[in-house]
Amino acid sequence: MEPIIHIENIHKHFGMVHALRGVSLDVHKGEVVVIIGPSGSGKSTLLRCINRLEEYDDGEIVVDNIPLDSAQNINTVRREIGMVFQSFNLFTHLTVMENLTLAQRVVRKRQKNESQKIALNLLAKVGISEKAQAYPVQLSGGQQQRVAIARALAMDPKIMLFDEPTSALDPEMIKEVLDVMLALTKEGMTMVVVSHEMGFAHAAANRMILMDEGQIIDEATPEKFFASSNERTKLFLSKVLHM
Amino acid sequence: MDGQPKLRPGGSKLTHIPGAGVIARVDPWWGLVILVAVLIVILVTAKADPFRNILLFVRHGIVITVFITAMAFMLTLLLGLIGGLGRLSRNRFIYGVATLYVEIVRGIPLLVQLIWWYFAFPVVIQTVGEWLNFSAMANYHANPIFTAIAAFTICYGAYMSEIYRAGIQSIPKGQMEAARSLGMTHFQSMRHVVLPQAFRVVLPPIGNEFIALLKDSSLVSVVAVADLTRRGREFMAVNFNPIEVWTMVALIYLVMTLFSARGVAWIEKKTHIEK
Ligand SMILES: Nc1ncnc2c1ncn2[C@@H]1O[C@H](COP(=O)(O)OP(=O)(O)OP(=O)(O)O)[C@@H](O)[C@H]1O
Ligand SMILES: [Mg+2]
């Protein structure tokens, strides 16, 4: 089967920093890939290359058979990919409802009523229907992140990218966000998740990846990964598990 | 959904937001505005000669001053936005033109700019018109009010560009990235996400520009526009009573600027609570 995300030997430089050094990765439909790795290893950069928030210098990325080459293709691909950020990035001047409907109307050209119906369903799904008319500042971090997930889902994405979605949250709010993500995996959503929540990885991942210094170091199913004989995987896991 | 009231912070339904009571309380500095206004009324009624005569004489000048300020300000809002976006453009040429504009305009005194547009620019047009044998240009004469509005717009547009630029840059990058990752184009993201937020940030400094423009509009009196200042000068030339005339003119400017300043303070408070 064709992979839904095909990444081939991409390189990315930030000035002198060689952030990605020949990363190749195929993700298949319905797969959940969890990426871990030390700070600065290029995890965010890799995710951001997949929907072209970051341009890469060399290599090739094909999403759902669409190569990321022209501006038009990039916008098409972005519509297929939902992205959830560490810092939520909700639109602060808009209500929760407006956050969910804006792109539906502007990009998907949906009618106001239709977009609001979709938004309400998604808000119910992430468990914050009662906050539809609130502004982001009036929500807790966990609630904001759930809204951000709903906002991405409103575009009917085929793929969801998560960049450390819980690392800006207080401990008591982490679970409510992870639960929403777990529910998504049950529905068969294709997901690439950067996260050091090992419980989540254990429960949800089909595959785990360790990145370091801009490269993929180790790659295995969770069972094999947690029992890996790779020294760097062992070392990093011991650090993460003792956090 | 549509029937429900919108709980927009800073909108009309403010009262439920903590700290909103501050707005409900009357800003004590309004007292100063009223004081100056009352002072004018007292002078005009108690000593009608010359104060009432002065006020009647400069009346039309007030209209001209307000008209020039309002027109130039509105055009400035537009030109400033264009300039500000230009200053942020990744297109080298657009960036270059916008930067050149801002640097040149900020380096020349406003009064000199005004005089240039009024006295030098028409000659340029006439010369070019003669050279091209194009009579509409060769016979060009500056309309004083129009020229004043254009000159102020060009000058203040440069300062406004920098205000807009700073405002747009103050919006976290994540807002644009979130919009782009939802499939919105750069233009759509600017229009629906970044600019509405930036506009709130720049409202108070823009308000201050308005007050500065109102005061600077008195410079048009040197290019024969019959604004408030010019009318004051004309009245004095006939009646030789500088103390009364210039006190009255100063009070009229003061009441207008103080009033505007209260408006700006009100906007400032509103945007502050929204954060
Ligand atoms: N916009 C940028 N400009 C310059 N350097 C950057 C930029 N973004 C990332 N880098 C550099 O690229 C490298 C990889 O960064 P990246 O953010 O992808 O790491 P990460 O694995 O996500 O780290 P973290 O766990 O801290 O989020 C780092 O050395 C970082 O300093
Ligand atoms: Mg990161």
Side-chain angles (χ1 to χ4, degrees):
Chain A
M1 197 174 70
E2 285 277 299
I4 193 165
I5 306 175
H6 173 69
I7 302 172
E8 197 174 306
N9 198 27
I10 60 163
H11 286 264
K12 169 73 189 173
H13 295 261
F14 291 106
M16 298 295 289
V17 180
H18 197 168
L20 294 178
R21 308 170 181 228
V23 175
S24 298
L25 175 67
D26 280 351
V27 179
H28 290 90
K29 203 164 181 321
E31 212 183 355
V32 177
V33 176
V34 171
I35 303 176
I36 64 173
S39 183
S41 56
K43 308 178 298 292
S44 298
T45 307
L46 179 61
L47 276 199
R48 293 160 58 81
C49 283
I50 294 174
N51 73 350
R52 258 307 184 109
L53 284 183
E54 218 70 78
E55 288 179 23
Y56 42 90
D57 308 323
D58 199 11
E60 186 189 36
I61 298 183
V62 182
V63 176
D64 202 17
N65 293 318
I66 305 167
L68 286 180
D69 44 19
S70 65
Q72 201 193 344
N73 281 359
I74 288 169
N75 278 332
T76 313
V77 162
R78 281 186 181 141
R79 263 176 256 163
E80 312 277 302
I81 304 179
M83 178 130 183
V84 176
F85 303 85
Q86 180 175 355
S87 49
F88 327 134
N89 296 348
L90 292 182
F91 304 136
T92 53
H93 63 304
L94 300 178
T95 62
V96 166
M97 175 55 81
E98 290 162 344
N99 263 276
L100 265 66
T101 53
L102 175 62
Q104 292 191 61
R105 302 215 328 249
V106 173
V107 180
R108 289 271 188 236
K109 310 284 180 216
R110 287 179 189 148
Q111 294 300 309
K112 191 174 177 189
N113 278 342
E114 189 195 357
S115 68
Q116 287 185 339
K117 216 180 279 170
I118 292 172
L120 281 177
N121 281 335
L122 286 167
L123 287 177
K125 187 166 159 182
V126 301
I128 26 182
S129 308
E130 75 283 4
K131 297 287 185 188
Q133 297 305 320
Y135 281 84
V137 284
Q138 299 167 315
L139 304 182
S140 74
Q143 289 173 328
Q144 289 193 49
Q145 194 60 298
R146 285 184 284 150
V147 172
I149 294 172
R151 178 177 68 178
L153 291 175
M155 301 300 288
D156 301 325
K158 295 183 176 161
I159 301 163
M160 287 285 285
L161 308 176
F162 293 83
D163 190 1
E164 307 207 32
T166 58
S167 59
L169 298 178
D170 293 335
E172 69 271 19
M173 292 170 187
I174 290 178
K175 187 172 177 300
E176 63 190 51
V177 172
L178 292 180
D179 284 347
V180 169
M181 291 168 62
L182 266 175
L184 267 183
T185 65
K186 299 248 160 63
E187 290 173 16
M189 177 66 77
T190 308
M191 292 167 47
V192 182
V193 183
V194 174
S195 174
H196 294 135
E197 293 294 332
M198 289 302 125
F200 171 80
H202 222 305
N206 302 110
R207 195 161 24 132
M208 297 206 48
I209 287 174
L210 174 72
M211 283 188 72
D212 198 6
E213 294 176 345
Q215 288 180 318
I216 293 180
I217 303 295
D218 198 3
E219 181 173 353
T221 60
E223 292 72 28
K224 289 193 183 142
F225 191 82
F226 285 110
S228 175
S229 57
N230 185 317
E231 285 304 321
R232 281 156 94 176
T233 307
K234 276 200 256 180
L235 184 67
F236 188 72
L237 280 177
S238 74
K239 278 188 204 152
V240 177
L241 293 171
H242 288 110
M243 264 195 321
Chain B
M1 194 68 346
D2 285 327
Q4 273 173 273
K6 289 211 168 173
L7 305 181
R8 172 174 291 253
S12 53
K13 297 235 162 38
L14 246 190
T15 40
H16 63 283
I17 291 174
V22 186
I23 281 187
R25 242 189 293 140
V26 174
D27 179 352
W29 289 99
W30 276 111
L32 191 60
V33 183
I34 293 166
L35 194 75
V36 177
V38 168
L39 191 60
I40 293 175
V41 173
I42 290 175
L43 286 176
V44 167
T45 44
K47 213 164 170 291
D49 181 28
F51 288 111
R52 187 159 180 278
N53 300 341
I54 295 171
L55 188 60
L56 287 178
F57 190 81
V58 302
R59 179 174 62 178
H60 191 63
I62 299 175
V63 175
I64 297 283
T65 291
V66 170
F67 177 73
I68 289 177
T69 306
M71 288 303 289
F73 183 68
M74 282 191 295
L75 292 170
T76 299
L77 287 179
L78 196 67
L79 184 61
L81 178 60
I82 296 168
L85 290 172
R87 291 273 285 146
L88 291 168
S89 175
R90 281 205 278 175
N91 179 317
R92 282 265 190 94
F93 179 75
I94 295 174
Y95 170 82
V97 170
T99 306
L100 196 66
Y101 159 62
V102 169
E103 292 300 331
I104 288 177
V105 165
R106 289 201 305 184
I108 303 170
L110 175 53
L111 183 56
V112 175
Q113 289 184 42
L114 199 59
I115 292 172
W116 193 90
W117 287 114
Y118 191 73
F119 293 107
F121 181 68
V123 181
V124 173
I125 295 287
Q126 286 158 12
T127 311
V128 173
E130 274 159 29
W131 186 65
L132 290 175
N133 218 348
F134 186 50
S135 63
M137 276 169 80
N139 297 327
Y140 176 80
H141 283 286
N143 172 324
I145 292 185
F146 174 79
T147 304
I149 291 172
F152 281 124
T153 302
I154 289 166
C155 178
Y156 269 75
Y159 292 94
M160 206 71 100
S161 298
E162 291 301 275
I163 292 176
Y164 274 112
R165 182 182 60 79
I168 292 170
Q169 280 178 326
S170 77
I171 305 305
K173 244 179 79 193
Q175 294 286 313
M176 177 59 105
E177 291 185 346
R180 297 307 301 272
S181 74
L182 288 165
M184 292 161 78
T185 62
H186 181 84
F187 178 80
Q188 290 169 334
S189 308
M190 267 289 171
R191 150 125 173 56
H192 294 287
V193 176
V194 177
L195 287 181
Q197 293 182 50
F199 199 64
R200 291 177 187 207
V201 177
V202 300
L203 269 181
I206 282 182
N208 289 330
E209 289 297 294
F210 177 82
I211 295 171
L213 182 59
L214 181 59
K215 289 186 289 183
D216 278 347
S217 73
S218 64
L219 292 173
V220 299
S221 59
V222 303
V223 292
V225 175
D227 77 322
L228 173 55
T229 304
R230 177 107 187 167
R231 293 294 280 173
R233 222 158 75 186
E234 286 167 4
F235 189 90
M236 198 197 64
V238 179
N239 299 285
F240 309 108
N241 43 0
I243 295 181
E244 288 88 348
V245 170
W246 293 118
T247 303
M248 193 65 184
V249 168
L251 286 175
I252 295 171
Y253 274 113
L254 193 58
V255 92
M256 291 195 290
T257 54
L258 287 175
F259 182 84
S260 309
R262 286 307 95 213
V264 175
W266 182 73
I267 290 169
E268 228 161 42
K269 223 176 230 174
K270 237 178 84 161
T271 49
H272 183 72
I273 284 171
E274 277 172 15
K275 288 221 179 103

